[in-house]
Amino acid sequence: EESFKKSISLSDTNANAYVGLCNVLIQTHNYSECLKTSKQALQKVPKNAEIRNKQGICEWKWGEVKKATLSFQDASAWDPNFIEPKMNLAYVLIDSGRFDEALDVLKKAESHPKAKKEDIRKAKVLAESQKFIASGDTFLRQGKRKQAFDEYGKAMGVNPENPAVQNAFGRGY
């Protein structure tokens, strides 16, 4: 952490130093400091996609989902060759219950030249299973247990290892 701070003090436009410092702050769960650092960095190094992506991660972990969504969208737009913010956007959309939007983002990411097919597949499976669970939960709240179990069964078919599916079935009993 100190070496990154020293590097920034020597050159406050060193984007790699800011990214490195943000990585350390994320690893140590110091999200508020990471947000300060990323905001400071973007003033010195505007439109840097890596820094904006790190800012999005910190906003997401800090619970600022709307800001994180915008940060990931900005980072993707600023550097279309950078796949990480696209994947982060998909996961923040999944966390927000915006499953169809997440699946759209993932579908577009599949054609990206740096796409990691297995990572995208896993994210799509998660989005699809969570979508079925959410639908099942809606039926369950309406007292429609059979429809809820049908949706949970679909989630199980998509992602049998997902413990959230077992939890969903448990809510139904």
Side-chain angles (χ1 to χ4, degrees), residues 3-4 9 16 33 36 45 52 57-58 71 80 82-83 85 93-94 96 103 115 123 137 144 153:
S3 61
F4 290 120
S9 72
N16 290 333
E33 193 60 34
K36 289 179 196 169
V45 191
R52 186 71 164 151
I57 292 169
C58 292
S71 291
F82 187 30
I83 186 99
L93 290 170
I94 292 168
S96 303
L103 288 166
D137 288 348
K144 300 176 180 175

Side-chain angles (χ1 to χ4, degrees), residues 8 12 18 21 33-45 51:
I8 292 167
D12 66 357
Y18 286 112
L21 181 55
E33 193 60 34
C34 180
L35 282 172
K36 289 179 196 169
T37 300
S38 60
K39 287 176 183 175
Q40 173 191 351
L42 287 168
Q43 289 175 346
K44 302 291 183 176
V45 191
I51 294 169

Side-chain angles (χ1 to χ4, degrees), residues 11-56:
S11 172
D12 66 357
T13 58
N14 183 344
N16 290 333
Y18 286 112
V19 170
L21 181 55
C22 284
N23 283 334
V24 169
L25 295 170
I26 289 168
Q27 289 171 354
T28 58
H29 307 284
N30 193 347
Y31 305 120
S32 62
E33 193 60 34
C34 180
L35 282 172
K36 289 179 196 169
T37 300
S38 60
K39 287 176 183 175
Q40 173 191 351
L42 287 168
Q43 289 175 346
K44 302 291 183 176
V45 191
K47 295 210 175 197
N48 182 290
E50 281 191 78
I51 294 169
R52 186 71 164 151
N53 184 57
K54 297 301 178 193
Q55 182 177 3

